[in-house]
Amino acid sequence: MLHLGIETATPTCAVALLTDDTLLAESRLNIRNVHASRLFQLIDSLFRHADRRMQDLNAVSVSIGPGSFTGLRIGLASAKGIATGLDIPVIPVPTLSALARQAPAENGRLYPFIRARKNEYYTAPVLRTDWDDHIGEVMIVHPENVEEKLKTPCMLIGDTRELNISHPDIHIAPAFAHLHSALHVALTGRDLYLQGDLSEFDTLIPLYGQDFVAEKPKKRA
């Protein structure tokens, strides 16, 4: 089974190619506002370096949110375009689930964090048992009162640098684990695919998390 994972819900623009349990190739750019111009360049390069053909894909997994409004639309539109051309399914993967999967802990309580707007963060409780994750409802928290929202002991992963954490039973994942990975989107999507958990293609939309509010353009000097 050949599976493509796409992550564009965050400042990271990433793609990964997975066959069964083996990662063939992955590319990541941790640069803002390049998703529209660089995503298909990354995908084309991915297949060339892995010596595979896009026509051999069985499914496409895409990070579905919450996250960046623009990034989510770019990722889902790209995934739908590929899937339509190849007549294969699109697997929507909750962004927080894929991020939590990166946490280096076999058991315990996890909280993946993604930056929202206005000094807010998306997170959700994840209970892990022998590497099997069960995620709760998404909530929005503020950095100054984040400890009040968490059950301890726990590990945090993702956008954690500006959180006010002093509780001795709240641990931060190692730095190498925080950058969003398309591999974990692909792995999570593959599991959903094998379970038969497929969404209706025509009604598939991003999980924005908040209503979109257009910002006023800055005045030119």
Side-chain angles (χ1 to χ4, degrees):
M1 177 181 181
L2 193 62
H3 204 117
L4 174 66
I6 298 175
E7 167 60 73
T8 59
T10 68
T12 300
C13 180
V15 292
L17 197 58
L18 187 72
T19 177
D20 297 323
D21 290 324
T22 302
L23 173 66
L24 296 179
E26 181 177 18
S27 294
R28 285 188 281 187
L29 293 175
N30 192 31
I31 305 171
R32 291 182 179 274
N33 304 322
V34 300
H35 301 58
S37 61
R38 302 295 293 276
L39 178 57
F40 272 99
Q41 293 178 13
L42 291 180
I43 293 173
D44 290 342
S45 176
L46 193 75
F47 278 90
R48 288 200 309 272
H49 287 300
D51 196 23
R52 295 300 177 102
R53 302 185 310 156
M54 189 175 293
Q55 291 85 347
D56 295 329
L57 272 180
N58 298 107
V60 181
S61 289
V62 60
S63 183
I64 200 68
S68 159
F69 291 92
T70 302
L72 289 171
R73 289 195 294 268
I74 292 169
L76 182 56
S78 301
K80 281 188 170 185
I82 294 170
T84 299
L86 299 177
D87 193 23
I88 58 177
V90 174
I91 317 298
V93 174
T95 307
L96 290 170
S97 293
L99 178 57
R101 190 165 186 157
Q102 300 177 203
E106 183 177 0
N107 294 286
R109 185 176 288 107
L110 310 169
Y111 287 92
F113 275 78
I114 297 174
R115 186 184 297 277
R117 63 170 186 251
K118 298 178 181 177
N119 202 31
E120 295 173 337
Y121 292 80
Y122 300 113
T123 189
V126 178
L127 187 61
R128 175 172 293 176
T129 304
D130 297 330
W131 297 107
D132 185 21
D133 290 355
H134 299 275
I135 189 167
E137 292 187 7
V138 176
M139 55 185 175
I140 296 176
V141 300
H142 298 267
E144 62 270 13
N145 64 356
V146 64
E147 290 187 352
E148 302 171 10
K149 304 292 184 179
L150 308 182
K151 293 183 178 180
T152 57
C154 63
M155 176 183 287
L156 312 188
I157 187 170
D159 294 326
T160 61
R161 287 180 296 178
E162 297 180 8
L163 301 180
N164 298 321
I165 302 298
S166 59
H167 196 292
D169 290 327
I170 298 178
H171 307 284
I172 306 296
F176 69 82
H178 294 289
L179 187 61
H180 293 263
S181 165
L183 167 62
H184 293 86
V185 174
L187 287 169
T188 305
R190 178 210 58 186
D191 292 348
L192 294 171
Y193 178 88
L194 294 176
Q195 295 166 13
D197 189 0
L198 306 180
S199 299
E200 291 293 333
F201 186 91
D202 293 337
T203 59
L204 186 57
I205 60 174
L207 303 176
Y208 291 118
Q210 294 179 330
D211 293 332
F212 177 72
V213 176
E215 295 182 357
K216 293 181 179 180
K218 295 181 180 180
K219 293 182 178 180
R220 295 181 182 272

